[in-house]
Amino acid sequence: MKTPTLAFAVALGWSSVAGAQPIELSTVLRSVESHFPLIAAAERDRDVADAELLSAEGAFDPQWRTRASAGPLGYYQPLTLDTMITQPTPLWGAQLFAGYRFGHGLSYTGMPIYDGKLETNTLGELRAGVSIPLWRNGPIDRARASIRRAEIGRTVASLGVAQQRIEAARAATVAYWEWVAAGRRMAVARSLLALAEARDAGLGTRVARATCPPSSAPTTPAPSCSGRASSCPRAGRWSRPPSRCRSTSATAEASPRCRTRRGCPRLYQIL
């Protein structure tokens, strides 16, 4: 599982900067939230979606257009100026506009007769109004469609950030508790090792002091049994007395074939 390992490695690396203090799960999650690469990449995607939405909303910014022309040479010397401000709206594609227009001749000849529509009075002309389409660009237009698409893209990007945060937090939590469990197992192994070393040292001391035979040091000594039948746990099963044994108890005890698993003579073999 590469993702949990990477998430916890990033968190552990950044959390270890604070010092050798115990690392808590909340510290790991905060570090993952701040430095995990997949979360940072998802946030960059969300920034891109925000920029696209801002660009789409720019279609409804106020627009200012100005045009001026002059003809100082020639028989007619017209001078025209036309400036207008428009404000698009999302209401059925309606646009508000306001403008000013000025047109006058620079010489006594005035404006050309064929361009009489460009001539205004001495102070110019003001105009304002609203432009509403009857059907085209009414229900939907390019600007509103772009904004809607950008809004959906931003929502998807935000959900992507939330998804990466949840997955990274889950992966970091799993890796954290696996790391804690590994530390607990190491502590148990160390305690068992210390106990085994202490026991081995104690047994070595007993052997060195001749208080325990080397052959019986690691195990429990087998119970001893004398030549009397009453002292053997299995002797009660036989009716013959031990005096009819063809060998002594010492011989029976010394012979491995004449001993039980508990170390007592087998009476049916020595009778």
Side-chain angles (χ1 to χ4, degrees):
M1 298 178 63
K2 297 182 179 180
T3 303
T5 304
L6 179 59
F8 186 67
V10 173
L12 185 60
W14 283 97
S15 299
S16 60
V17 178
Q21 299 179 355
I23 301 176
E24 298 181 354
L25 179 59
S26 58
T27 304
V28 174
L29 295 179
R30 286 195 301 269
S31 181
V32 169
E33 178 73 19
S34 302
H35 307 289
F36 192 52
L38 295 181
I39 295 179
E43 290 177 348
R44 299 294 83 77
D45 292 340
R46 185 182 58 185
D47 295 340
V48 171
D50 290 339
E52 292 179 353
L53 178 59
L54 181 62
S55 176
E57 290 176 347
F60 291 95
D61 291 342
Q63 301 175 6
W64 180 27
R65 297 185 180 91
T66 300
R67 183 178 61 183
S69 63
L73 301 177
Y75 183 77
Y76 297 103
Q77 298 178 359
L79 174 63
T80 60
L81 174 65
D82 190 359
T83 181
M84 183 174 62
I85 297 176
T86 60
Q87 175 61 62
T89 66
L91 302 176
W92 198 264
Q95 291 185 354
L96 304 176
F97 67 89
Y100 171 78
R101 187 170 68 91
F102 176 80
H104 194 69
L106 297 178
S107 63
Y108 68 94
T109 56
M111 297 290 293
I113 299 176
Y114 50 82
D115 282 338
K117 62 182 182 295
L118 299 178
E119 186 176 5
T120 62
N121 57 22
T122 307
L123 298 178
E125 175 187 281
L126 290 174
R127 65 185 185 276
V130 57
S131 173
I132 301 176
L134 296 179
W135 185 251
R136 183 181 179 183
N137 295 332
I140 189 66
D141 56 9
R142 184 182 298 274
R144 282 176 285 171
S146 299
I147 288 179
R148 183 56 180 165
R149 184 171 58 249
E151 289 176 349
I152 295 175
R154 187 185 186 281
T155 302
V156 172
S158 299
L159 294 177
V161 173
Q163 178 184 2
Q164 290 297 333
R165 287 176 177 172
I166 293 173
E167 292 181 355
R170 179 190 60 81
T173 302
V174 172
Y176 174 82
W177 289 118
E178 289 180 353
W179 177 68
V180 172
R184 295 293 186 270
R185 289 193 297 269
M186 183 179 65
V188 171
R190 286 179 176 176
S191 63
L192 292 177
L193 176 61
L195 181 61
E197 291 177 347
R199 185 175 182 273
D200 183 71
L203 291 176
T205 303
R206 292 183 61 188
V207 171
R209 293 178 180 178
T211 59
C212 181
S215 60
S216 62
T219 59
T220 303
S224 62
C225 181
S226 63
R228 299 172 57 186
S230 61
S231 63
C232 181
R234 298 175 59 90
R237 299 178 56 186
W238 307 96
S239 59
R240 296 183 181 182
S243 60
R244 298 181 60 184
C245 181
R246 290 194 298 268
S247 62
T248 61
S249 60
T251 305
E253 292 178 358
S255 177
R257 298 179 59 187
C258 296
R259 297 181 63 86
T260 63
R261 295 180 180 179
R262 296 185 179 182
C264 295
R266 295 180 179 178
L267 298 182
Y268 67 91
Q269 292 182 357
I270 63 178
L271 289 177

